[in-house]
C-alpha cells in the first residue's frame, strides 16, 4: 500500500476500496460522537455506502479535486484526513478529518495534520490552508491551535449540524506562517 | 427570455449561449479593469471562449451547483451575477459578479444583489450568503456594506490576482439579518 | 424565479426541481384526462418521478435540445409548455404542452403559446413551429387554430395512445405567417 | 461483415469505421449533387470527418436511437440508408438515404428501401415510416411513390438547404398499407 | 437483421436487444452445463440481465472494443461467439463462445469459428487469434484443434471457475497458419 | 507523496500529474532504447502528452482497472511499473514496466517487481501474475527469471514492435510459487 510516514505510530495511506470495512466499523461504533459534527455519518448505513464513498473519493482524487488519506495507527485504519475545496488558481484548500473513538485523545490528528501540511505546501504548492470548526467543536479548535492555525473570524450560522444551525470558527495557516 | 425584474432599469436574465457576444464585448472593452480582480478575464480571448463558459454555466445550473444570471441594464447585457459554492446541506452560497465599465457607478450591482438575495433566501432556501472581496477591491466592499453584509474576518492571502497574492475581506449576510 | 410575462394572470417560469411537487399534484389529480393524450402520465407515479423528469428537462435545456417552461396562473404552477425536436439547422421545433384540469377552458394555453411563439421566432431564431394533435384531441386543435397555425395534413396512425393507435393533425406556423 | 441481402446486386451492411474511406470518396466525388439536399455534405471535408460520423452512427445505433446501413452495390459501398427519429412509443421512424452519383438511376434506393421497410415493420416493430423530401427533390419523391408511400401533406419551409428555405413533401407508409 | 452466412444451417447475426429472450431461455435451460466454464451464467438471472448485457455488448462493439455475434441455427438463436481483448496495435484478439445444450455436438461452433476467423483476419486485420480453454474443457479444446489452433502453453491457475481454480490451455492461430 | 518502500535506494510512488516532466525527460532521453519495445514512446512527444497519460492512469487506477506506480531511485523518478489487465474474477493481472536509460543495469526493476508482487498477492488478492516479454527483449526475460517467474510458452507473433511483428515469451508467477 502507498503510505506517507507520520511518526512511529501513525501513517497516512492512499484510500482503497477495501478500506471500506475497517472505516465503516469505526463509523458504526461511534455514531453519536462522529455524527455530532459530520452530517454524512447518518447516511453511511452499510459497508457498501462506505465503499461507494471511497469510489467517489478516488475519482475526485484522480481529477485533482481532492487530496485524501486513510489515517493508520499501528497499521490499523483509524480515520481519514483530506484537503477539499482544492483551488489551484488561488492555491488554497480546506482541511477535513475524522478519527474513530478509540483513537482520539492521543495526538493522532495533530500529527497527521502536520504531515498533510507538508504535502499541501511542498507537493501541492498550496499557500493557504483553511480549517473550519463548529464553535462547539473544541477538540477540532484545539487541533487547529496546536498546529499554529490562526483564527480569522467567526462564520455565523455556517454549519447545519444535527443539533441545529451552528456558528463556526475559521482558521487558516499560510505557507509563510 | 426568462427574467427577474430588479428595478425600472435593471433585470436579471437566465443565461443563454447567444449572450456570449454581448458579454465578450464588455469583457474585451475593459481587460485591465475587470482583469484586476477576475482571473478568468485574461483566459477569455474570443467569443467562443465566452460561449464555452456559458455552456458550462448552464450545465452547472442544470445540476443545481450554481445559480447564475446575466445582468441587463435598459435591456442590454451589462455583466453577470451568480451564487456559486451552493451547499444545500449547510444552506450557504457565495456571491460573485462583474459589471462592464460603462455600467459601473450607478448602483446596478447593489440593486441586482438585492434581487439575488431574495432568490437565495426565499427560493433556494439558503440561510447564509458569503461575499469575498480582495482587500484592495473597495468597490466590492462598498457593495457588500450597502447591502448590509457583515464583515466576519480578513482571509489572509486568499486570492491570487494578477497583481499578486492578496488578502480578502469576508462578508456574510444571514436570512435573519 | 426567472419568468416571462404572458398576461395579467399567466406567466412562464424556468423549470426548477422544486416545481416537482406542484406539477405532480396536478398530474395526480387528473390521470384520466391528462393520460388520454400524454403517454408519460401513467409512468409518473411519484413526486420523485416528476423531479427526475425536471432534472432531465433542465439538462436537455442546458444542451439546447429543448426549450421548456412551467406555466403559472396567478402565480401557481398550472402546467408546462415546451419546444422539443429543436432543429437549429432547419430552424424548426415542435410545440408540446399540458395544463391541469382546473386551469383548462380559460385560454391559458392559447396565451402561453403566443408567448412561446415570440420566444421561438425572436429569440431562438426558428422560422417554423409544428404542433401535432391527436385527431380526437379537439381542444388542442382549437388552440392551434386560435393561434393561426395552419393544417398541413393528417398523419396516419402517428400516435400510440392508451385508447389505441391514432391519426394526428399536423399544424404549423411560420415566422412569416 | 454483417449484411442484409436485397437483390442480386445490392446488399445492406452494418456500418463500420473502415467504411469511411469508400463513403468519403463517394461524397467527395459529387459535392454539388449530394450537397444540394444534404446539409452535412459541406461539413464532411476529410475521411476523418466521415470516420467520426460513423463512430457517432454506431454509438446511436447501439443506443437504439438509429438504424443504419451502408448500401453495397456489387459489393462496393454506394451510399447509406437509415431510420432516424426512432420512436419506440409511437412505433414510428423516418427514412433517410443517399447514393453516390454513379450508382443513381438504377433502382438501388428503391430496392434498398424495400428491405429497410421489412426491417422496420417486421424486426423493429414499427407501424409507420415517414419520408420527407424537399419539394424540388423529384428523385426522392419518385422513390417514395414507387415504394407506395402516401403523400400526407406539404411541410411549409421545413428544410434549410444550400439553395434556401424549402417546402417539403411528407410521405408515410404504414405496416398496414 | 444483419447476418453473416456460415453454412446451410448456421448464420451469425449482429446482436440486438430483442435477442435477450431467446438467449436467456438457452442459458436458463442449461445452468449446470454452461455455468461450469462461464462465470457470468449464475449472474444472469432474468431476461433483463441478458438485455443489459446485450446493451453493454452493443456499446463495446460500437467502440471497437469487441466483435460479437449471435449464432443462429436454422434461424433460431443458439448461442454467441465473440472476439474480445481486441488489440488493434498488436493486431490480436481472443475468441469466446457458448452454445445452448440442444445445439451442441453438431459442429456448430467449429463452423461459426471458421467464419469468425475470416472476419478477424480479412476484415478486422488481426494477425493472431487466441483461444483459452480450461484444462477440463475438452469440448473447447477439440474445437480449437479442429480449427487448427496451435497449443502454445498451459496457463497455470488462470481461471477461477465454480469448481475451483483451474489451469487453462492457451491456443493461437495466426493469419499465416 | 504516497510511497511504498522497496529498498535503501528504491521506492514506488503513487503517480501524480506533476510527475509528467521528470518522466517525459527520461522518455525523451532514450527514444531508441525505450521505443524498441514500447509502442507508446513515439506517440509521447511533449510533457503534455505524458501529463494526459498520467491523467488516464489515475482515472484507470481510481476505477480499479489498473495498479500503477512511479519508480523512484534515490528520490528521483526513474520509470514506471504497473499491473494492467486486472481481472478480479480470475484474480490475475499482467506486469508492465520501463526504466530510464541511466537507471538500468542496477537491479532496480527486479527490486521494484518484488514489491509489486507483494502488493498483488497480499493487497489486491491476485493469485497469478503474467509477464510477457518480446523474444528479443532479453533484459525483461532476465528480470522475470530472476524473480522466479516460470515460462509457460511462446506467444507467436503476439507483439507489433517498431522492428516488426515479434514472438513473445509468456511468464507467470503464482501466489503459491
Amino acid at each position: 500500500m502507498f503510505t506517507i510516514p507520520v511518526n512511529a505510530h501513525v501513517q497516512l495511506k492512499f484510500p482503497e476500496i477495501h478500506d471500506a470495512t475497517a472505516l465503516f466499523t469505526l463509523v458504526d461504533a461511534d455514531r453519536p460522537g462522529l455524527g455530532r459534527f459530520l452530517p454524512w455519518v447518518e447516511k453511511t448505513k452499510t459497508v457498501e455506502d462506505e465503499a461507494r464513498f471511497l469510489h467517489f473519493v478516488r475519482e475526485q482524487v484522480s481529477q485533482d479535486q481532492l487530496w485524501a488519506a486513510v489515517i493508520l495507527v499501528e497499521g490499523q485504519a483509524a480515520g481519514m484526513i483530506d484537503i477539499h475545496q482544492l483551488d489551484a488558481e488561488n492555491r488554497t484548500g480546506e482541511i477535513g478529518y475524522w478519527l474513530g473513538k478509540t483513537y482520539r485523545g492521543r495526538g493522532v490528528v495533530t500529527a497527521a495534520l502536520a504531515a498533510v501540511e507538508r504535502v499541501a505546501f511542498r507537493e501541492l504548492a498550496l499557500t493557504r490552508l483553511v480549517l473550519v470548526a463548529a464553535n462547539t467543536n473544541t477538540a477540532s479548535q484545539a487541533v487547529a491551535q496546536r498546529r499554529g492555525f490562526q483564527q480569522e473570524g467567526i462564520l455565523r450560522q455556517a454549519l447545519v449540524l444535527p443539533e441545529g444551525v451552528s456558528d463556526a470558527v475559521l482558521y487558516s495557516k499560510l505557507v509563510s506562517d
Side-chain angles (χ1 to χ4, degrees), chain A residues 14-24 47-61 66 68-70 80:
Chain A
F14 190 79
E16 288 165 299
I17 305 307
H18 59 68
D19 295 320
T21 305
L23 292 172
F24 177 74
V47 174
E48 287 67 38
D49 290 338
E50 182 66 28
R52 255 189 297 277
F53 172 70
L54 288 168
H55 267 298
F56 175 74
V57 162
R58 286 163 61 91
E59 191 183 296
Q60 294 287 98
V61 166
L66 180 71
V70 175
M80 291 192 79

Side-chain angles (χ1 to χ4, degrees), chain A residues 28-107:
Chain A
D28 204 42
D30 185 28
R31 293 187 172 278
L34 291 170
R36 189 177 167 204
F37 297 119
L38 301 169
W40 52 263
V41 166
E42 71 167 330
K43 292 175 193 157
T44 307
K45 291 174 179 155
T46 63
V47 174
E48 287 67 38
D49 290 338
E50 182 66 28
R52 255 189 297 277
F53 172 70
L54 288 168
H55 267 298
F56 175 74
V57 162
R58 286 163 61 91
E59 191 183 296
Q60 294 287 98
V61 166
S62 80
Q63 296 167 6
D64 288 317
Q65 297 181 345
L66 180 71
W67 182 96
V70 175
I71 302 172
L72 300 184
V73 175
E74 314 296 358
Q76 302 300 309
M80 291 192 79
I81 188 162
D82 71 69
I83 314 175
H84 51 280
Q85 306 270 63
L86 274 176
D87 179 343
E89 283 196 2
N90 291 309
R91 301 193 170 189
T92 62
E94 182 173 333
I95 296 290
Y97 53 79
W98 66 270
L99 208 62
K101 192 172 189 178
T102 57
Y103 296 99
R104 296 202 281 265
R106 309 191 213 163

